[in-house]
Amino acid sequence: MISRRAPCLLCKHLQAGTRCVVFFLILLLVMMSASEAQTVRTPSELAYFRDEYVVTLPVRTERQGPVSAFSSPTLADRFGVIENLDRSTLLLSKASASGVASVTSQFGMLEALVSVEDATCKALLAEKIVTSCTPNYVMRASGVATNDPYASQLWGLSEDQGISAEQGWEVSSGTKDVVVAVIDTGIDYQHEDLVENLWRNPGEIEGNGIDDDNNGYVDDVYGINAITGALLAGDPLDDNGHGTHVAGTIGAVGDNGIGVIGVSPAVSIMGLKFLDASGSGRLSDAISAINYMVNMKESHGVNIVAANNSWGGGGYSQALEEAIERANAAGIVFVAAAGNQGLDVDLFPSYPSSYENSNVISVAALDSDGNLASFSNFGTEGVDVAAPGVAILSTLPGGAYGSYSGTSMATPHVTGLLALLYSTAPNLSVEDAASRLFETGRDLITLGAGTEGPLLVGTGRIPDVGRLLRDERVPLPDRPNSGEVCPYEFEYMRLHESTQLDTSADREPIVNQSDEGGFVRVDLPFDFPFHNRIIGTVFVSPNGVVYEVEPHNLDYLPSYRAPYNSIAAMHIDLTPRSSDQGVRVFHGQNRVTILWKSELYMLPDIGPVSVRLTLWSTGKVTSTVSFEEASGAELLSKVVLGDIFSDPVQSPMGLIGIGGASRRASSTADLLEAQRLLMEQDDGEFSLKVTMNPTCEVSGGNTEVNRPHIQKIKIRNKRGRGTNLRLAFGGSGTGRVPLSVKVNGKLCAEAGDVALVDGRAERNVRLPRALRHLSIVSGEARMRKRFSRRAGRVSKRGRDKVCGRIIAALR
């Protein structure tokens, strides 16, 4: 359920004693006009089970006894329980493990402080006993944003507002031979509108207390209950309602004269319960549910084509990502809810929907007007499609019905239509199914389709069942290139004396004492090279960031990347609390230095923090963060870094880095290296200095380009959306070089010229999946390649098997 707490911006003003009446009235009007508005800046909890850890082994081993999987006998001394989740993933539990703990964080973000403070994970990783270690996170149903029990129509299936289900039913209403798994709170398998469409294990005899099919579970007739310690391992009965609601949208029985109808009126639904009555569950149990599903398909021949995952929580987990990849290898599409935080998942990942496995399809939520729901997460790269997710009527336990809203409700619309697709095309690969889903969807201008603006979801589309089953494709349009990339190299230094600081701005007048907003324009006295272009003006925010263009939104919410087209000296929520605190700017002949001296909003007792950013005329950038007390820096380092044991580091509360016009054009400071420097023992004041050096140069004019050549080629398939050709160019000088790309004998119109800056450039070209012939000509680089029939198959890491041969031929 969406929280309606007071926004923290208002709280901050009230705490400071300010009576901001106008602000409050405006805010009230906004809340009244958006009944589903989600407060972004409110505290949230990252929950985990005490003294329980999910770890992966350095190498995959045969499934042996729990201790013999390691060369070190110390695990037997440290842990009372060691449970194999699969051959390389273990659940470790100390004998004293009990209950759930949590960490409260700001901004609605999930800072995994648990791992940073936990000595057990640190020790296991330092000793190289395991390759990854995370607490056993609490996973939660992706949420019911609202609950309207009086909704009376299935608008999500309609032709005008929804996914055009009736048009699809003219082709197929599904088949019981197709199985989809609902990984959730279980299913009410006694519900009269579901009972005919529930999967039944043909190898199991109900109620005899015996594991008849030898799969490790007793009486798993309708699926399993993966919750640790469950008395009936094979009983996925829903005691919450969330899973039953999801199951009804996927496949409530049709033409039975009662209740509702699912997207696929004929289907077999497998119940995999890992969330309890409160809607929460263990990460380890989610992995067990996925492993059961994969085992039933690979070893017992169950035709599972898709899994519905209307849940999320915790930070990045290598173990969960590998479990999803096992499902991918088994040919199971992993449909996941994008999440209900109203955030851009390109900046703030939401797992499991943000895993980049090629079988993951991330789903956002739409309202009945075709708008993205106010609570729904979004992202051009991290979310694939949007589906109906507001006031969705479906089944509930005990023969009841009700309307819920959330990305949880949008996700089963997509899972259901995949069940219909596989009923008509049973031999589709995961990649083919995703590609067909995306290319047969309908463009929605409300998602950015057909506009020059950014897409709210990657395809800009809502799925269309009729067009999907008739295979009426409209290829996804090419989006404009998001700009050339200039990587930055980072150098780190700890300054032990204040004389080493650039204090030139310390004596300048304060230009901004705002808590939020109030961006200050700074005209640079020189041309500043920034991501292969020249800029002469920046806009300084009060929270440790400078932007190329003045933002239209506040920037107190940092992520694990710098904002687009910005430089983050230390992107964190700074709050001036005295007359000498604020932003100061020094203009020099070949440099500009900006000083932020403030306190931290989330840590008011830590004392002043000074952040200095220097922009050099050469394009070099230096950032220095100074703390007055070493003890405060120790606490701050843990808050800033987030979960340093995840890769990439997730959701820091502060960040140093540079952002360009796309995610690829993002360079971020190595937080592990910064952690080492920050945690060095020392008394008194100290500073962390980070130097960011561009690896390319920009000149004002067009100069001669010498010996242009192609350095590297990568062929990448992004979740079934098509194949991309990425070219990296080398040479010397700055200028333009013609590029010609022919695919299967036809010229690619989008290739055009390539702009080399200091002899470097990159270019992306969208290619069809059916590659037979590829010809590239650019300057002195010429290459022709005939592809084998299997050459278009791309691994999850996005590298085609033929790439190595192509690269070798061009060097």
Side-chain angles (χ1 to χ4, degrees), residues 136 374 523 594:
N136 197 7
S374 59
D523 294 321
I594 303 165

Side-chain angles (χ1 to χ4, degrees), residues 18-36:
T18 302
R19 301 296 186 264
C20 195
V21 178
V22 176
F23 177 84
F24 177 78
L25 291 175
I26 294 174
L27 177 64
L28 182 61
L29 289 173
V30 172
M31 293 179 65
M32 292 173 62
S33 64
S35 60
E36 302 299 335

Side-chain angles (χ1 to χ4, degrees), residues 338 340 363-367 371-377 385-390 406-407 410:
N340 296 337
V363 185
L366 294 170
D367 63 22
N371 297 311
L372 188 76
S374 59
F375 55 78
S376 178
N377 287 349
V385 294
V390 175
T407 54

Side-chain angles (χ1 to χ4, degrees), residues 9 41 510-523 537-557 563-568 570-574 582-585 594 596:
L9 277 178
R41 199 177 183 188
I510 294 176
V511 296
N512 188 9
Q513 283 188 307
S514 301
D515 180 29
E516 310 294 349
F519 298 95
V520 176
R521 172 173 174 153
V522 174
D523 294 321
T537 303
V538 295
F539 292 86
V540 182
S541 89
N543 289 312
V545 186
V546 298
Y547 293 86
E548 180 184 358
V549 178
E550 183 175 7
H552 296 290
N553 59 301
L554 304 182
D555 66 347
Y556 53 78
L557 189 65
Y564 293 132
N565 298 320
S566 76
I567 302 173
M570 173 57 79
H571 192 186
I572 200 165
D573 193 358
L574 298 172
V583 179
R584 305 171 189 260
V585 181
I594 303 165
W596 293 265

Side-chain angles (χ1 to χ4, degrees), residues 695-739:
T695 58
C696 57
E697 296 179 2
V698 177
S699 62
N702 191 28
T703 60
E704 182 180 0
V705 177
N706 297 315
R707 298 187 61 79
H709 59 280
I710 302 174
Q711 290 181 322
K712 184 181 291 187
I713 291 180
K714 289 184 181 179
I715 298 177
R716 181 179 179 87
N717 185 294
K718 177 63 175 176
R719 296 182 185 171
R721 296 182 194 167
T723 303
N724 287 330
L725 172 69
R726 180 176 294 179
L727 304 172
F729 293 83
S732 63
T734 298
R736 305 189 70 84
V737 177
L739 171 64

Side-chain angles (χ1 to χ4, degrees), residues 17-287:
T18 302
R19 301 296 186 264
C20 195
V21 178
V22 176
F23 177 84
F24 177 78
L25 291 175
I26 294 174
L27 177 64
L28 182 61
L29 289 173
V30 172
M31 293 179 65
M32 292 173 62
S33 64
S35 60
E36 302 299 335
Q38 174 162 340
T39 299
V40 175
R41 199 177 183 188
T42 54
S44 64
E45 289 186 341
L46 176 66
Y48 57 97
F49 291 89
R50 289 189 182 94
D51 294 324
E52 293 187 5
Y53 306 92
V54 176
V55 302
T56 55
L57 306 183
V59 294
R60 292 188 178 275
T61 64
E62 295 298 325
R63 189 163 186 170
Q64 302 169 332
V67 178
S68 61
F70 298 91
S71 59
S72 170
T74 57
L75 284 181
D77 299 330
R78 301 185 201 182
F79 301 97
V81 178
I82 303 179
E83 178 183 345
N84 289 80
L85 300 178
D86 59 74
R87 290 187 300 173
S88 64
T89 308
L90 301 180
L91 170 63
L92 308 179
S93 303
K94 292 185 179 180
S96 60
S98 64
V100 174
S102 64
V103 173
T104 299
S105 60
Q106 298 289 335
F107 315 134
M109 297 162 53
L110 297 178
E111 289 79 29
L113 305 182
V114 182
S115 296
V116 177
E117 297 177 346
D118 192 89
T120 302
C121 266
K122 283 185 177 181
L124 292 178
L125 290 166
E127 296 170 27
K128 299 184 178 179
I129 297 177
V130 299
T131 56
S132 73
C133 176
T134 61
N136 197 7
Y137 290 119
V138 174
M139 317 303 283
R140 303 186 189 278
S142 277
V144 175
T146 59
N147 189 334
D148 183 5
Y150 304 106
S152 60
Q153 53 185 331
L154 303 176
W155 70 266
L157 305 185
S158 67
E159 182 175 357
D160 296 330
Q161 301 166 299
I163 61 174
S164 300
E166 292 187 6
Q167 297 294 321
W169 294 336
E170 294 177 0
V171 179
S172 173
S173 58
T175 172
K176 296 293 184 63
D177 296 333
V178 170
V179 181
V180 296
V182 173
I183 304 177
D184 212 288
T185 63
I187 299 175
D188 180 5
Y189 46 77
Q190 299 171 344
H191 197 292
E192 60 179 351
D193 220 2
L194 294 174
V195 64
E196 292 183 17
N197 283 350
L198 293 172
W199 171 77
R200 288 171 174 80
N201 186 351
E204 198 71 20
I205 300 174
E206 186 172 2
N208 67 354
I210 300 174
D211 180 11
D212 299 290
D213 57 358
N214 296 314
N215 66 353
Y217 291 89
V218 174
D219 289 343
D220 52 321
V221 177
Y222 303 103
I224 64 167
N225 185 337
I227 298 174
T228 304
L231 296 177
L232 298 176
D235 185 5
L237 187 63
D238 187 3
D239 51 5
N240 173 278
H242 190 270
T244 299
H245 195 279
V246 165
T249 299
I250 293 172
V253 179
D255 295 326
N256 60 352
I258 56 174
V260 295
I261 184 173
V263 177
S264 181
V267 68
S268 293
I269 304 174
M270 173 187 288
L272 301 178
K273 177 180 176 62
F274 88 99
L275 300 174
D276 61 20
S278 68
S280 300
R282 286 173 164 84
L283 165 66
S284 54
D285 293 339
I287 295 172

